[in-house]
Amino acid sequence: MARTGRRPGATVTRERILEVAREEFADKGYTGASVRGIARAAGVDPALVHHFFGAKEQVFVAAMRLPYDPAEVLRGITASSSRHDRAEALLRFLLGAWEDPRTRGPLLALLRSAAAHDAFAVTVRGFLEDVLSRHIAERFEVPPLRATALLSQVFGLLAMRYVVEVEPLASATVDDIVAVYAPALRALIDADGAEPDDEGRRAGTGEPGGR
Amino acid sequence: MARTGRRPGATVTRERILEVAREEFADKGYTGASVRGIARAAGVDPALVHHFFGAKEQVFVAAMRLPYDPAEVLRGITASSSRHDRAEALLRFLLGAWEDPRTRGPLLALLRSAAAHDAFAVTVRGFLEDVLSRHIAERFEVPPLRATALLSQVFGLLAMRYVVEVEPLASATVDDIVAVYAPALRALIDADGAEPDDEGRRAGTGEPGGR
């Protein structure tokens, strides 16, 4: 922290960096933005950005006010559940985060402002590809196409339940939703007959798929 | 058609009705709007609205410029495919509609304007619940919660592939997508072990779910 020339209050600097980061991610997308560029625009040393937040991935998580770091969440799920149980663990984590009033607000604000903001697709595309999808592929040992399929299914569920609020999905209990969705997600994560390691290596497109 | 007092050109009247219908659906949502109300606001007889379009469902389809009537599409799919093949038939139809340049434009415009428009959730919620979800539940013989789950999964796929354009989902072939998604959708439509008729009758929430 002592590496920068100027040294205003740490909180003020943190907030200034996040504000600049939001602009940079909006202008250049996740892939185009860089810690170096954010530091330059904020008038601080890149080392200070690293010191406060970590890598670009964590800067994005902080700038978008995500209540959880997806990498940590996925690490926790794979550490604590078998391959078969990951679909249910992921669903229970996500639904829990959206049911909790403390985290639901920020998540809903994010999804709503995302929907209202035209350039949002570009902003998040790189994060979805380079971060979320990559972590899912690595942790769940599935090829990238299955990882993005999983992302799209989870996104559809959260959007329909919490944003559009379609009934009976909006008022169903978490247990009922897990009962209905877990087998569908498991069909993506745990394609029957395929060896996990095989699947993991056959990255990209074109895997012949289950049943 | 001859039932209205005034009789301007049919095309002009049609367009006027659709314009008014879009306003009514935006103001009152699908559930709150009515053919009677739309006719009143357009200064025509309700019978003329029925004559041009049919029931409220078809007025909505025309007003939103949907290139297909969902009820007809679902009727075609259930008539031409077995229960096991419906997931794939539905996916192939939807992906085909989005791949076709003639229908992709209107569909993309709809999804984009939907995302940009704050009140969209209210506008479409009723249509999703009263029309799409109901038709899916009836045609595919699944309880309402499974029907909305299916809707949410399909919505997630289309949004991620065609709007956010996340790779490798955006550039995967239709065959690759069908191979990955069909088993997941089948897990919703065709919960193994459950008799179709049983499932159909156990409408609502709380079905114990597959596997």
Side-chain angles (χ1 to χ4, degrees), chain A residues 84 112 114-118 121-122 124-125 128-129 133 144-146 148-157 159-160 163-169 171-173 176-177 179-181 183-188 192 204-211, chain B residues 84 112 114-118 121-122 124-125 128-129 133 144-146 148-157 159-160 163-169 171-173 176-177 179-181 183-188 192 204-211:
Chain A
H84 180 269
R112 279 193 199 283
H117 192 243
D118 244 10
V122 178
V124 297
R125 188 186 299 142
L128 294 174
E129 289 170 359
S133 175
L145 184 57
R146 277 181 191 277
T148 50
L150 186 70
L151 266 185
S152 75
Q153 306 258 295
V154 161
F155 167 77
L157 163 61
M160 282 293 170
V163 181
V164 185
E165 299 181 48
V166 171
E167 290 296 356
L169 188 59
S171 60
T173 66
D176 284 344
I177 291 182
V180 167
Y181 274 81
L185 295 194
R186 211 146 51 215
L188 292 175
D192 39 354
T205 56
E207 71 274 8
R211 304 169 230 207
Chain B
H84 180 270
R112 280 194 199 283
H117 192 243
D118 244 11
V122 178
V124 297
R125 187 186 300 141
L128 294 173
E129 289 170 359
S133 174
L145 184 57
R146 277 179 192 276
T148 50
L150 187 69
L151 265 186
S152 76
Q153 306 257 295
V154 162
F155 168 77
L157 163 61
M160 283 292 170
V163 181
V164 186
E165 299 181 47
V166 172
E167 292 293 357
L169 188 59
S171 59
T173 66
D176 284 344
I177 291 181
V180 167
Y181 275 81
L185 295 195
R186 210 145 52 216
L188 293 174
D192 39 353
T205 55
E207 71 275 9
R211 302 171 227 208

Side-chain angles (χ1 to χ4, degrees), chain A residues 107-121 124 155, chain B residues 115-116:
Chain A
L107 288 169
L108 198 56
L110 186 76
L111 223 69
R112 279 193 199 283
S113 80
H117 192 243
D118 244 10
F120 181 73
V124 297
F155 167 77

Side-chain angles (χ1 to χ4, degrees), chain B residues 32 44 80-81 85 100 110 125 205:
Chain B
V44 300
S80 64
S81 54
D85 293 336
D100 184 337
L110 186 76
R125 187 186 300 141
T205 55

Side-chain angles (χ1 to χ4, degrees), chain B residues 98-111:
Chain B
W98 280 84
E99 295 297 321
D100 184 337
R102 289 165 302 177
T103 44
R104 185 179 189 159
L107 288 170
L108 198 56
L110 186 76
L111 223 70

